[in-house]
Amino acid sequence: VNKKGWRSHPHMLMKSQNFINGYDLQRIDFRFNKEYILQKIGKNSIDDVLRDIDNQISHPDEVIIYEPSFANWLMSIKNFNISQDSPKLVRIALAYLIYKIKSIVKYPTYFKYSKKQEKSIFDKDNSNSSQTEENLRNLLEDIQKDQSHSVTKIKQTINFLQHDWLGDDSKATDVSNWYSQKFDDIDYYRNYPLSYDNLDDIINNLPPPFFNYDIHLTKNPLHSAPINIMELSSGEQQLIQTLSTHIYHIRNLESIIKSNKEQNPINVRPEYRNINLVFDEMEISFHPEYQRQFVNHLTTTIKNMDLNKECSFNIFLITHSPFILSDIPASNILYLEDGSPNAKKDRLSFAQNIGDMMYSSFFMEKTIGEFAESKLKELIKFKRGKNPSMLQSEADAILKSIGDPVIRSLIEEIEANDD
């Protein structure tokens, strides 16, 4: 949508923000995911999927909606212009959409359209085509009004079918291994006539879930060569995955709240407005600088996405990191030692010097490495004349290597007869 988070697009308007500091979104490449389709639709090959959907769209006069004319009613209602000559991706998308519409009736909100209800649109014995078509129209209208995550994949697929993003059919029909060909976000969005004013609109118009994607970033402000997101460091990837996974589920919960406002009271689903977020040792794989930034990343992301308008959050951070502790007031900290609370640690922590907290707040016995301590003890013995195995050259090398000037000065002052 622009350099700071989304790729520029003439139809997209969104508040600019970077999801990960130091990087801009360069492009997103999408590829057809053959295995996803086969697993969901339950076929052994793509040819089987195409053969099945071609059979459905070639029998427009059948009165039984379940098979094979369901596809034709659906196309007529949604104004899809799809035939056996349409690109393979388009026909597969139609097959996937039919699968998802059949699946949606398992949710309580749509249970009235299931086989067990009198409005069923999937009853093989249903010969009342006009009533069945009306029920299908009602179902699609309910899906369109639904603002919850339950229908996101259906909306993505419908939008995919309603807009001629492919352009040249050869992209999908004439090349060998057509399903491995990639296209980027600019290719995809170039023919979309809509204006996307919020994140929900953008998500609903992303390619359907039967595409894999590769995200490419550029380092700012240098604008270097694109970097695949999978080539980032393990810490950078973990930061993205940790935040995005939690935000994804929070938005799903929030979508229920939004959708309930448009629903008949009998269709209202349970709402969860008070959310516990638990992060157990989130600092693993993080560079110290990312540890220092984590709390700010988390709270800023929640705020920027307006998630705290509908929900309240209780955040648990179980950590060994003083970099995390420096962002937390002492009143919000529970210190555990050997699994039990330790009430002695009453020192103020918020904005406290991180180096000081390494020793004061994490039950450390020493402030230097164990190996370095053992060498210092050997050096002290040598200076006292009690370590004959140490050579003078080794003693000089150790003394020269000591980083703490106070410790080095004290050891230099030791005389042979000191106790």
Side-chain angles (χ1 to χ4, degrees):
V1 190
N2 60 37
K3 287 195 209 172
K4 295 195 170 182
W6 293 90
R7 174 173 275 281
S8 297
H9 184 270
H11 301 304
M12 287 187 173
L13 301 173
M14 189 176 177
K15 179 171 61 177
S16 64
Q17 55 187 274
N18 276 11
F19 190 73
I20 178 170
N21 285 346
Y23 293 97
D24 293 332
L25 177 64
Q26 196 268 343
R27 75 177 191 277
I28 305 174
D29 291 337
F30 299 95
R31 293 178 184 271
F32 176 66
N33 185 347
K34 179 175 82 169
E35 299 305 323
Y36 183 92
I37 283 292
L38 297 181
Q39 178 186 5
K40 293 298 183 181
I41 298 183
K43 300 294 183 181
N44 294 321
S45 70
I46 292 298
D47 286 341
D48 288 341
V49 176
L50 291 169
R51 191 177 300 111
D52 181 68
I53 193 64
D54 287 347
N55 183 56
Q56 292 188 48
I57 62 181
S58 64
H59 294 77
D61 298 326
E62 296 284 348
V63 295
I64 301 175
I65 193 170
Y66 189 76
E67 298 287 359
S69 63
F70 177 75
N72 293 284
W73 260 305
L74 182 59
M75 287 193 293
S76 66
I77 293 172
K78 298 304 293 183
N79 296 319
F80 297 149
N81 184 20
I82 303 172
S83 70
Q84 292 174 306
D85 297 324
S86 297
K88 293 179 181 179
L89 281 176
V90 171
R91 287 139 65 201
I92 290 171
L94 179 61
Y96 177 76
L97 178 60
I98 293 171
Y99 155 76
K100 286 301 296 180
I101 290 176
K102 290 180 179 180
S103 300
I104 197 69
V105 299
K106 67 185 178 183
Y107 293 106
T109 304
Y110 299 96
F111 191 62
K112 62 186 177 182
Y113 298 108
S114 71
K115 295 179 182 179
K116 298 179 181 178
Q117 304 300 308
E118 74 180 42
K119 290 183 79 172
S120 172
I121 62 172
F122 302 121
D123 191 344
K124 291 184 178 181
D125 297 325
N126 192 340
S127 59
N128 187 341
S129 60
S130 61
Q131 181 61 52
T132 304
E133 184 171 334
E134 180 182 349
N135 293 340
L136 176 57
R137 288 182 183 277
N138 292 337
L139 171 59
L140 294 174
E141 288 177 4
D142 286 349
I143 289 173
Q144 188 61 39
K145 294 176 184 177
D146 193 341
Q147 298 186 51
S148 77
H149 66 284
S150 304
V151 297
T152 297
K153 295 176 182 178
I154 292 180
K155 289 183 177 180
Q156 288 173 341
T157 310
I158 289 175
N159 289 327
F160 178 86
L161 290 170
Q162 283 181 329
H163 303 288
D164 181 21
W165 64 267
L166 276 176
D168 181 6
D169 285 359
S170 65
K171 284 189 175 184
T173 56
D174 296 337
V175 295
S176 60
N177 248 353
W178 59 271
Y179 51 78
S180 69
Q181 302 302 306
K182 68 183 181 182
F183 62 94
D184 64 28
D185 49 343
I186 293 302
D187 287 334
Y188 185 76
Y189 287 116
R190 72 177 188 274
N191 292 327
Y192 269 41
L194 304 178
S195 175
Y196 309 125
D197 296 323
N198 57 60
L199 184 57
D200 289 333
D201 289 338
I202 292 174
I203 290 175
N204 286 335
N205 285 282
L206 287 174
F210 49 82
F211 286 98
N212 287 329
Y213 55 86
D214 291 317
I215 299 174
H216 298 270
L217 309 172
T218 54
K219 191 88 171 177
N220 60 51
L222 300 178
H223 302 293
S224 57
I227 305 169
N228 191 305
I229 198 171
M230 299 308 296
E231 296 173 354
L232 299 180
S233 70
S234 59
E236 289 173 319
Q237 290 189 46
Q238 179 172 312
L239 177 64
I240 294 173
Q241 291 169 1
T242 299
L243 292 178
S244 60
T245 298
H246 284 79
I247 296 305
Y248 170 79
H249 290 294
I250 293 169
R251 291 193 76 256
N252 284 351
L253 293 174
E254 184 190 45
S255 74
I256 300 296
I257 299 173
K258 291 181 180 178
S259 187
N260 278 347
K261 295 177 181 178
E262 307 295 329
Q263 296 291 339
N264 186 302
I266 63 174
N267 292 329
V268 168
R269 284 169 276 185
E271 296 180 359
Y272 298 93
R273 295 177 178 268
N274 302 306
I275 299 172
N276 287 329
L277 299 179
V278 181
F279 298 88
D280 188 3
E281 297 188 5
M282 80 300 299
E283 71 271 11
I284 295 175
S285 295
F286 280 175
H287 184 281
E289 181 63 12
Y290 271 13
Q291 296 180 43
R292 190 185 69 83
Q293 296 174 5
F294 179 78
V295 172
N296 188 58
H297 270 307
L298 175 62
T299 55
T300 301
T301 301
I302 290 174
K303 182 178 179 181
N304 284 345
M305 299 188 71
D306 295 329
L307 299 177
N308 56 334
K309 288 189 175 181
E310 296 285 359
C311 302
S312 60
F313 297 92
N314 190 30
I315 302 174
F316 293 86
L317 305 170
I318 299 97
T319 183
H320 294 107
S321 172
F323 303 93
I324 300 291
L325 212 59
S326 181
D327 278 330
I328 311 299
S331 59
N332 288 20
I333 296 175
L334 173 64
Y335 293 94
L336 297 176
E337 185 173 15
D338 298 327
S340 300
N342 185 311
K344 296 180 181 179
K345 300 293 181 181
D346 56 359
R347 185 174 180 175
L348 294 177
S349 57
F350 188 75
Q352 174 59 267
N353 182 282
I354 291 172
D356 290 343
M357 284 196 295
M358 288 286 291
Y359 179 71
S360 63
S361 298
F362 285 86
F363 314 105
M364 293 181 63
E365 296 180 2
K366 306 291 190 320
T367 58
I368 62 175
E370 192 76 8
F371 176 75
E373 181 187 8
S374 68
K375 286 299 180 182
L376 292 185
K377 288 179 178 178
E378 292 179 14
L379 178 59
I380 292 170
K381 287 182 179 181
F382 174 80
K383 295 280 287 183
R384 291 173 176 171
K386 299 178 180 181
N387 187 4
S389 63
M390 178 174 283
L391 299 176
Q392 182 64 49
S393 59
E394 182 184 357
D396 292 342
I398 294 174
L399 187 63
K400 186 179 179 179
S401 300
I402 296 174
D404 189 321
V406 175
I407 293 178
R408 184 169 61 247
S409 176
L410 290 173
I411 292 179
E412 286 176 339
E413 295 175 2
I414 295 176
E415 301 293 339
N417 59 351
D418 285 345
D419 293 331

